Amino acid sequence: MIKENHTVFSDFILLGYSELLDLQALLFVVFLTLYASIIIGNGLIIYITVTDPALDTPMYFFLKNLSFLEICYTSVTVPKILVNLVVEKANISFIACAVQLYFLLVFGGTECLLLAAMAYDRYVAICNPLRYKLIMSRQFCQGLIILFMGINMTFHVGQIYLVFILPFCCSHEINNLFCDIPPLLELACAKTYINTIMLLSASILFIIIPFFLIVASYVKIISVILKIPSMEGQKKMFSTCSAHLIMVSLFYGSAIIVYISPKTKESVDINKFLSLFYTILVPVLNPIIYSLRNREVKVSLKNLFKRQM
């Protein structure tokens, strides 16, 4: 079946926003600016969490890894998007498409699990503060990151294999800015129910279950916060969770619509925009949200800028 694919055509065409011919230069500038913002903003978060002893806590250990994932996540797609905006034919080879999709799924799935771990960290810090350092030890946090990466790297090998043994003999134009499973399955001229089951399984494992764990954690957190007698104390507790809640809402909201909601012809353009939202806009917003909503990060950034002046 793989040979059949290559006898018909050897690469895919990424349509992206090719219909907007007059705006290609503007889109290039926009995507380049966003990519630079992601690298600089998340790079700053990584730098301050590594160099500032005050941020040597489990919460900022997870934030550092989240920022690293955001850089890797966007680096899988944005450079190719930028190239396609300046070349005449926006093609991508079978192998390059498979590699891009694999790492997109690995980094995206790891981020989903990491956001759940960050919610658990806040749950332990607020609901069980006396045992916080014992439970959220450095070894435990590092083990979680290794576990999350291992699960994703193993699971998505099978996911990629099942997609790329499909015969793509009807069309090779992907209506998206990068390789993704839903638009690829639309091109297959064979039954894709096994792929649909795998996609649903991945959605349950990496989106639905972590999302409900996050919700359960915050239900417990809010119940504890509401028992605090002073409004000032409640406000302080909420402020430590607000940045994470915003990121969860933005990331999971768009990912759920793209991967779980029913597919219709009208939803194609919406999904194309939402895929941009969780792969580019959310990584741009990550350092901004944590800088504005987190007092320790703001203090550390101010100290960094003072030292540079």
Side-chain angles (χ1 to χ4, degrees):
M1 292 178 75
I2 294 175
K3 288 182 179 178
E4 181 184 351
N5 287 345
H6 287 268
T7 57
V8 179
F9 52 87
S10 60
D11 55 13
F12 293 107
I13 302 296
L14 293 166
L15 294 180
Y17 289 107
S18 56
E19 70 275 12
L20 304 174
L21 291 175
D22 297 334
L23 298 177
Q24 297 297 296
L26 176 61
L27 288 173
F28 179 86
V29 172
V30 170
F31 282 116
L32 182 60
T33 303
L34 291 174
Y35 187 49
S37 301
I38 290 168
I39 300 296
I40 295 170
N42 286 284
L44 272 175
I45 295 293
I46 294 171
Y47 181 78
I48 63 171
T49 53
V50 169
T51 58
D52 191 342
L55 302 183
D56 186 19
T57 66
M59 176 181 173
Y60 295 108
F61 170 79
F62 289 133
L63 179 57
K64 173 179 63 180
N65 282 275
L66 178 64
S67 294
F68 177 73
L69 279 175
E70 300 285 32
I71 292 174
C72 294
Y73 195 49
T74 52
S75 296
V76 172
T77 56
V78 178
K80 183 60 178 175
I81 293 173
L82 292 172
V83 171
N84 289 343
L85 287 169
V86 297
V87 298
E88 185 176 346
K89 187 180 180 182
N91 63 316
I92 183 169
S93 68
F94 269 81
I95 294 176
C97 185
V99 170
Q100 184 185 69
L101 180 56
Y102 175 71
F103 284 105
L104 185 73
L105 294 175
V106 168
F107 292 134
T110 303
E111 182 165 340
C112 289
L113 298 177
L114 182 58
L115 288 170
M118 293 175 77
Y120 178 70
D121 172 75
R122 291 298 84 206
Y123 162 74
V124 176
I126 293 174
C127 301
N128 201 354
L130 296 179
R131 299 187 62 201
Y132 178 69
K133 289 185 178 180
L134 178 64
I135 296 173
M136 303 302 296
S137 65
R138 182 178 294 274
Q139 293 78 9
F140 176 71
C141 296
Q142 291 173 342
L144 283 180
I145 299 298
I146 295 170
L147 177 64
F148 295 162
M149 285 295 294
I151 290 172
N152 276 276
M153 292 177 72
T154 304
F155 183 91
H156 293 302
V157 168
Q159 180 101 309
I160 295 298
Y161 174 76
L162 289 173
V163 170
F164 283 88
I165 62 170
L166 291 169
F168 302 101
C169 48
C170 298
S171 172
H172 63 144
E173 295 182 339
I174 300 175
N175 190 15
N176 206 355
L177 287 140
F178 50 85
C179 293
D180 204 357
I181 291 180
L184 278 169
L185 294 184
E186 292 177 7
L187 302 182
C189 53
K191 292 182 179 179
T192 59
Y193 62 90
I194 295 178
N195 302 86
T196 303
I197 292 172
M198 280 293 290
L199 182 59
L200 180 61
S201 300
S203 300
I204 292 172
L205 180 59
F206 300 114
I207 299 177
I208 299 298
I209 292 177
F211 179 74
F212 278 107
L213 289 174
I214 291 169
V215 171
S217 296
Y218 276 105
V219 167
K220 289 282 189 179
I221 289 170
I222 291 171
S223 66
V224 170
I225 291 176
L226 292 177
K227 293 177 183 178
I228 298 175
S230 69
M231 289 296 294
E232 188 63 30
Q234 291 183 5
K235 184 179 178 181
K236 184 178 179 180
M237 286 294 184
F238 273 121
S239 68
T240 65
C241 305
S242 58
H244 181 252
L245 276 173
I246 294 170
M247 289 299 299
V248 166
S249 302
L250 294 174
F251 185 82
Y252 277 95
S254 54
I256 286 172
I257 294 174
V258 171
Y259 288 103
I260 299 176
S261 64
K263 303 295 180 290
T264 64
K265 290 183 178 180
E266 293 77 16
S267 68
V268 172
D269 290 333
I270 296 174
N271 288 350
K272 190 191 296 187
F273 170 76
L274 288 175
S275 64
L276 277 180
F277 195 87
Y278 66 78
T279 55
I280 298 177
L281 295 180
V282 171
V284 169
L285 294 173
N286 176 49
I288 297 173
I289 291 171
Y290 274 99
S291 296
L292 294 176
R293 305 292 301 179
N294 191 293
R295 187 180 64 84
E296 288 84 359
V297 172
K298 284 192 287 187
V299 170
S300 184
L301 284 172
K302 286 179 182 178
N303 292 334
L304 173 63
F305 292 135
K306 285 180 181 178
R307 290 197 300 267
Q308 301 302 317
M309 292 178 67

